[in-house]
Amino acid sequence: MINKKSRDDVKRLRHAGHIVALTHKKMKEVVEPGISTKELDAIAMQVIKENRAIPTFLGYNGFPGCICTSINEQVVHGIPSENVILKEGDIISIDIGATYGGFVGDSAWTYPVGKISDDVQKLLKTTEESLFAGISKMREGNVLDDISGAIEEVAKRENYGIVRQYGGHGVGRSMHEEPFLFNYKVGDRTLLKHGYVIAIEPMLNMGVDEVEVADDDWTVSTVDKKPSAHFEHTVLCTEDEPLIMTKLME
Ligand code: MG
Ligand code: MG
């Protein structure tokens, strides 16, 4: 069952989302060649704690980090490590979750490290575009498939692989609630209603859609080792425009 959020729930969600956005703002400042993903994790932890929130991912199913850091061909769930040092030309997908007042904000962004190649830049730009195409369909009266289809259309235009095994999800008191949201059309006619909150999160690959999980049981990578990008916002369906929960409050 998909639960509707009350006005009070939404206030807390928005606060959690603001803290996630603050953490991303900091990540954008500090991502550069030479920094390790472990250092990024420590900095993210500091921002989340300074804002009296809880890092949602830490300990989630045993995950050892505060954030997920996935480099280049890694898609999602990369574990922060002192041995992973960013290099010029890399990309890094950082996924951040913060819990505040019992509610979760969840947002991911792929950042360039220094200067990246034009084709990888296009992958980032297109994946971000597919996120916002999906968000634009988060309207009362639409169905889940409308969001999935909007994402798929942008991805297909560039012939990118759409990751099949992972997708968006309801968010609230738990990070993963119903419904599951595919990033391609599956014929899901579930109606969107005001008060629904969904993390929309396309993961697009420059090559094939197939991915595999590493021996650490977490890190997901493309099987052809081509780069992958991941952009995610937690979004509220209203009676009017969709509202992004995971951006900075004015
Ligand atoms: Mg996430
Ligand atoms: Mg998510």
Side-chain angles (χ1 to χ4, degrees), residues 64-224:
C66 163
I67 56 175
C68 297
T69 50
S70 309
I71 313 276
N72 300 331
E73 76 277 8
Q74 297 174 355
V75 180
V76 285
H77 305 164
I79 299 172
S81 164
E82 58 195 11
N83 299 320
V84 178
I85 316 279
L86 300 187
K87 301 185 309 292
E88 180 88 18
D90 284 344
I91 53 170
I92 178 169
S93 300
I94 301 181
D95 198 346
I96 302 174
T99 306
Y100 182 89
F103 283 84
V104 176
D106 184 10
S107 171
W109 217 254
T110 302
Y111 298 97
V113 182
K115 183 152 175 46
I116 61 174
S117 65
D118 289 348
D119 56 342
V120 177
Q121 184 62 52
K122 188 176 175 191
L123 174 70
L124 268 51
K125 193 166 167 278
T126 305
T127 310
E128 182 178 352
E129 183 188 338
S130 75
L131 167 63
F132 284 96
I135 290 173
S136 74
K137 300 293 180 185
M138 181 79 172
R139 303 185 77 99
E140 193 156 54
N142 281 353
V143 296
L144 275 180
D145 230 30
D146 292 325
I147 303 175
S148 305
I151 292 168
E152 184 177 25
E153 195 182 317
V154 174
K156 282 202 162 159
R157 191 188 68 208
E158 304 297 342
N159 267 321
Y160 290 145
I162 302 172
V163 176
R164 308 255 146 189
Q165 290 91 332
Y166 304 88
H169 51 91
V171 189
R173 289 187 178 275
S174 301
M175 178 161 57
H176 293 120
E177 297 185 351
E178 287 182 45
F180 184 80
L181 172 68
F182 289 88
N183 287 317
Y184 53 96
K185 277 186 137 182
V186 291
D188 191 328
R189 308 295 299 167
T190 303
L191 267 177
L192 297 172
K193 296 177 181 170
H194 70 272
Y196 284 7
V197 175
I198 297 177
I200 301 175
E201 51 177 315
M203 286 148 258
L204 303 187
N205 301 342
M206 196 182 281
V208 298
D209 58 37
E210 287 97 345
V211 298
E212 61 193 2
V213 180
D215 290 341
D216 63 14
D217 286 338
W218 282 106
T219 313
V220 177
S221 298
T222 57
V223 296
D224 61 7

